[in-house]
Amino acid sequence: MTATFTMTGPTATHTPTAGATVQLSAVVKAFSGHTALNSIDLEVAPGELVALLGPSGCGKTTALRSISGLESIDSGRIVIDGVDVADTPTNKRDIGMVFQAYSLFPHMTVLENVEFGLKMRKVAAARRRERALETLDMVGLTKHRDRFAHQLSGGQQQRVALARALVTRPRVLLLDEPLSALDAKVRVQLREEIRRLQTELGITTVFVTHDQEEALAVADRVAVMRDGRIEQIGTPEELYATPANAFVADFVGLSNRMPAELVDGQVTLHGCSLNLLGDPMPDGPVIALVRPEDIALSADGIAGTVISSSFLGSLRRTRVRLFDDTVVAIQHEVERHPLPGEAVTVRLKGAPVSALPPKVKK
Amino acid sequence: MAAPLSPVEPAPASAPAERRPKSANQAVRIGAEPSTVARRLILGIIGGIFLIPVIAMIEFTFRNGLAGDYTTSHWTGLFTEDSARTYRGLYQAIENSLVLAAVTVAIVLVLLLPTMVLVHMQFPRLKRTLEFICIIPITVPAIVLVVGLAPVYSVVVQVLGGSTWTLAFAYGITVLPYAYRAIQGNLDAIPVKTLSEAASTLGAGWLTVLWTILLPNLRRGVLAASFISIAVVLGEFTIASLLNRRNLQTALLQVSQSDPWVAVIFALAALALAFILLLIIGRLGSATPSRRKS
Ligand SMILES: Nc1ncnc2c1ncn2[C@@H]1O[C@H](COP(=O)(O)OP(=O)(O)OP(=O)(O)O)[C@@H](O)[C@H]1O
Ligand SMILES: [Mg+2]
């Protein structure tokens, strides 16, 4: 697949579209009493890829469908390229969308599917074919051009759907969990392809996912959603290092939950006093969220027993049961190879942590 | 009445049953399918019930009066100039019936199909109501329908004139249950919402969506609905007769009073046509779309 993606390929002859800006301000959408979007503000810069990340039912799809016009909004504004699109129907918004469900037209071949958007834009047949083939080549499926959807694998179908959405060089590309029906390996492969194509073509993109790893891997910025609101928006690094609140800290990346005490606004944990991330909390018992890389195996410190240790390529993750029965994951260099049952001591590196109120248990 | 419905969804009912291997536990199972012999017997009896009258009809058309000898003159007589004049009324009635069939199909395609698609996509909560309304005509006897229709038609005649095609409004109602089932089966089988949403994000307006995306995928259901409608209209007698219109069936009755042989010949022709239509529907129901080559 990757072989078709050299920069000297057909895409290089295209001048990348300068993507449009997408602005959502105070967008509200309710379904029969249930507020799916509760005043969403979001600004996506031209050519930027923003991921909407959040648990199931938090309103990601609704937000995306509102941008596409498939869902009408109750109040607020959606502005694409400086123009309020409230009165622009979906088919006039010049967007490309890839759905979670397989959505290829079953009565058309792969090529006909990809040509469809150009046909709607009244592009002449010869030019249409040429551009469709070009785009199919970008997703590496030229050889399947005469197949029908039911003759393709899930990954291939989503590739065609991507080509179909990209062929018109839309102002905005909207992706609603396009990879969730695929197996892990194809998912990683395809998300990288999506990212590469998106960067090459410079198309403003909103990518919906509930997989935090996926969001962190492909997005310029990630918007973490909960219950119809955006909790925090920032680069993957910002979200990871300085989560605005415990929900974000818990949802983005891996965290150890360790019982701790909040004293004078400082998290006190196994004798360490750590800075608290996010909003201040009242003093008292809390659950600290500690990243695996903020704990280290050390010569002395908190005693514990190794439960398991797994090799992750460039690093190793070891699970340790501490003396107080808390189980923590620790990330460390590969050279150190703890064995299950081994007695170890760990220490906190002192990085700031987020904290949950104690009643929010797992 | 149930017969035209079955070809639309034939696969689940019959196909897997036949493929099931004969195993020991089959005898124990309650409601096991009949043995081959029993199956042939049932098929033979039912086939006989259908075929004997048809054979009798064919035999009858070759009879020479009541004498018991045979002649082909009733068939050959049809193609003489003389008979063309005699049976002009009958040919007119056939034309009427074909026009009625066409208008009825048009009503189904122009009114029912878009309504069903709209309800399916935009107002799924109205689905039950629509189904109920569409099924009602099957429970209302034609005679009762006519009682209600008579005053309606006195208005229709004032507005649109008394030509026969106006009868198609009534037929549009009588074919609703069959057409509805045929189309609904197909609608349920394709992801209508996703497909049309995908098309509209690609720039297609709703008419384009209906025409280039939904219709090709609803082809089977739409064709089945059309053929069933045609079959029903060609066989309709009661409403036409009671509203004093001439269609194939009323004309056949009239002709049979003067020349029973010709009436039977035309009845056979109508039967053959309906049979062919049903066969086509059956094929549509089982075959995959022809464009799907592998
Ligand atoms: N058409 C609808 N009618 C009624 N409620 C709806 C409709 N669509 C969505 N909702 C509700 O709005 C909320 C947000 O739904 P949405 O599909 O946007 O969630 P999501 O974040 O995409 O979730 P998932 O990850 O499961 O796809 C949910 O509570 C859902 O039940
Ligand atoms: Mg969703």
Side-chain angles (χ1 to χ4, degrees):
Chain A
M1 288 303 144
T2 42
T4 57
F5 279 100
T6 50
M7 282 303 287
T8 52
T11 50
T13 60
H14 262 285
T15 39
T17 336
T21 25
V22 178
Q23 292 159 288
L24 276 68
S25 32
V27 171
V28 174
K29 170 75 187 178
F31 291 107
S32 51
H34 174 86
T35 314
L37 296 182
N38 192 353
S39 190
I40 293 281
D41 292 296
L42 177 68
E43 184 158 343
V44 189
E48 189 183 28
L49 193 160
V50 167
L52 294 184
L53 174 67
S56 184
C58 71
K60 307 179 295 288
T61 298
T62 310
L64 205 69
R65 290 171 59 86
S66 304
I67 299 174
S68 70
L70 292 172
E71 214 75 74
S72 61
I73 57 174
D74 299 339
S75 66
R77 277 157 52 86
I78 296 177
V79 177
I80 300 179
D81 228 2
V83 180
D84 190 325
V85 291
D87 298 322
T88 316
T90 303
N91 58 327
K92 298 269 160 41
R93 287 196 185 184
D94 190 19
I95 50 164
M97 189 156 174
V98 178
F99 297 80
Q100 175 173 8
Y102 298 133
S103 63
L104 294 188
F105 306 132
H107 62 297
M108 295 183 187
T109 62
V110 164
L111 188 61
E112 287 167 343
N113 263 284
V114 178
E115 278 185 49
F116 186 81
L118 298 172
K119 220 172 182 171
M120 292 301 111
R121 285 163 179 76
K122 311 248 183 318
V123 176
R127 179 95 191 89
R128 201 159 75 204
R129 178 137 306 209
E130 184 190 328
R131 278 181 60 183
L133 283 172
E134 218 173 84
T135 315
L136 263 186
D137 191 34
M138 288 162 55
V139 297
L141 282 178
T142 320
K143 61 175 182 296
H144 295 328
R145 52 195 266 193
D146 292 325
R147 291 211 185 173
F148 288 91
H150 69 110
Q151 297 164 328
L152 298 175
S153 73
Q156 290 168 335
Q157 287 193 45
Q158 288 306 65
R159 277 198 171 85
V160 177
L162 183 66
R164 184 176 68 175
L166 285 175
V167 76
T168 60
R169 298 292 183 272
R171 299 188 295 174
V172 183
L173 180 62
L174 304 171
L175 307 167
D176 188 3
E177 308 201 28
L179 310 176
S180 64
L182 311 176
D183 67 61
K185 200 169 169 195
V186 181
R187 206 152 63 206
V188 171
Q189 223 174 45
L190 196 45
R191 83 180 182 212
E192 262 143 38
E193 271 183 51
I194 289 176
R195 178 52 163 166
R196 179 166 36 226
L197 282 170
Q198 185 268 337
T199 323
E200 261 176 51
L201 302 174
I203 295 180
T204 309
T205 303
V206 183
F207 188 122
V208 162
T209 176
H210 62 255
D211 180 347
Q212 51 102 5
E213 188 203 324
E214 198 167 282
L216 298 184
V218 300
D220 291 311
R221 285 190 302 151
V222 178
V224 181
M225 290 184 67
R226 172 166 61 161
D227 294 340
R229 267 191 303 273
I230 292 182
E231 294 281 324
Q232 185 179 9
I233 177 158
T235 62
E237 294 80 5
E238 282 166 6
L239 290 188
Y240 195 82
T242 51
N245 54 41
F247 175 79
V248 177
D250 202 29
F251 202 80
V252 176
L254 204 67
S255 291
N256 291 305
R257 290 159 179 261
M258 301 172 77
E261 192 79 24
L262 199 62
V263 183
D264 298 334
Q266 292 283 95
V267 180
T268 310
L269 179 57
H270 292 295
C272 277
S273 183
L274 307 168
N275 285 330
L276 176 68
L277 286 169
D279 300 329
M281 294 168 72
D283 281 1
V286 291
I287 306 280
L289 299 169
V290 188
R291 301 287 190 199
E293 63 272 24
D294 292 338
I295 311 178
L297 294 170
S298 59
D300 54 7
I302 313 149
T305 319
V306 174
I307 299 173
S308 64
S309 178
S310 45
F311 175 62
L312 300 177
S314 58
L315 49 89
R316 184 176 281 284
R317 192 171 294 153
T318 300
R319 279 156 59 74
V320 174
R321 186 183 301 280
L322 300 181
F323 68 90
D324 63 356
D325 243 18
T326 332
V327 174
V328 294
I330 301 167
Q331 209 157 290
H332 57 90
E333 73 286 1
V334 233
E335 287 73 28
R336 179 86 161 80
H337 188 171
L339 297 169
E342 190 180 324
V344 290
T345 47
V346 306
R347 95 188 141 72
L348 296 162
K349 289 184 181 173
V353 294
S354 302
L356 294 170
K359 61 180 176 294
V360 185
K361 289 260 166 60
K362 202 163 194 176
Chain B
M1 272 308 190
L5 293 182
S6 55
V8 183
E9 345 162 60
S14 58
E18 276 162 16
R19 256 182 257 123
R20 220 173 285 148
K22 301 224 169 334
S23 55
N25 67 1
Q26 209 169 2
V28 186
R29 223 179 61 226
I30 297 169
E33 67 237 46
S35 69
T36 318
V37 178
R39 228 184 288 166
R40 295 227 170 108
L41 199 70
I42 294 169
L43 206 66
I45 291 171
I46 293 176
I49 292 171
F50 273 111
L51 275 182
I52 289 167
V54 174
I55 293 169
M57 282 165 84
I58 295 172
E59 192 260 0
F60 178 72
T61 62
F62 290 101
R63 278 216 200 156
N64 192 7
L66 297 172
D69 53 341
Y70 291 96
T71 170
T72 55
S73 64
H74 303 303
W75 286 86
T76 52
L78 274 184
F79 302 101
T80 61
E81 261 178 56
D82 212 23
S83 77
R85 222 174 304 116
T86 321
Y87 300 117
R88 193 182 299 142
L90 187 54
Y91 288 118
Q92 179 62 47
I94 293 176
E95 195 187 315
N96 284 350
S97 271
L98 291 178
V99 169
L100 278 171
V103 178
T104 308
V105 168
I107 289 175
V108 166
L109 296 189
V110 173
L111 282 181
L112 182 64
L113 179 66
T115 308
M116 288 182 64
V117 171
L118 198 67
V119 166
H120 191 85
M121 286 171 55
Q122 300 291 330
F123 311 103
R125 266 189 277 160
L126 291 178
K127 224 157 129 183
R128 300 256 118 221
T129 319
L130 182 66
E131 177 171 12
F132 181 69
I133 292 173
C134 287
I135 298 298
I136 287 178
I138 216 167
T139 65
V140 181
I143 307 235
V144 177
L145 206 60
V146 169
V147 172
L149 280 173
V152 175
Y153 265 91
S154 67
V155 178
V156 169
V157 169
Q158 277 170 25
V159 179
L160 296 170
S163 39
T164 315
W165 70 268
T166 53
L167 207 53
F169 297 136
Y171 289 171
I173 294 171
T174 54
V175 302
L176 269 184
Y178 313 109
Y180 176 87
R181 286 254 115 248
I183 296 173
Q184 190 60 42
N186 202 160
L187 266 180
D188 289 337
I190 61 168
V192 178
K193 199 171 150 91
T194 313
L195 293 184
S196 40
E197 285 181 352
S200 71
T201 61
L202 289 164
W206 67 269
L207 206 62
T208 317
V209 171
L210 191 65
W211 190 253
T212 63
I213 303 298
L214 296 185
L215 215 51
N217 284 300
L218 290 173
R219 199 190 57 144
R220 271 199 254 171
V222 167
L223 281 180
S226 305
F227 287 143
I228 289 174
S229 302
I230 294 171
V232 169
V233 171
L234 291 188
E236 210 290 323
F237 171 80
T238 323
I239 297 176
S241 167
L242 294 178
L243 288 175
N244 283 320
R245 306 299 173 96
R246 273 181 84 76
N247 73 357
L248 175 62
Q249 300 296 335
T250 58
L252 278 181
L253 182 71
Q254 206 171 38
V255 169
S256 72
Q257 277 150 11
S258 58
D259 188 339
W261 291 282
V262 171
V264 171
I265 288 173
F266 277 95
L268 277 173
L271 205 62
L273 183 63
F275 192 69
I276 290 168
L277 287 177
L278 289 182
L279 271 186
I280 296 175
I281 297 170
R283 293 214 73 111
L284 288 173
S286 56
T288 46
S290 58
R291 289 204 52 194
R292 297 193 163 187
K293 51 211 165 194
S294 51

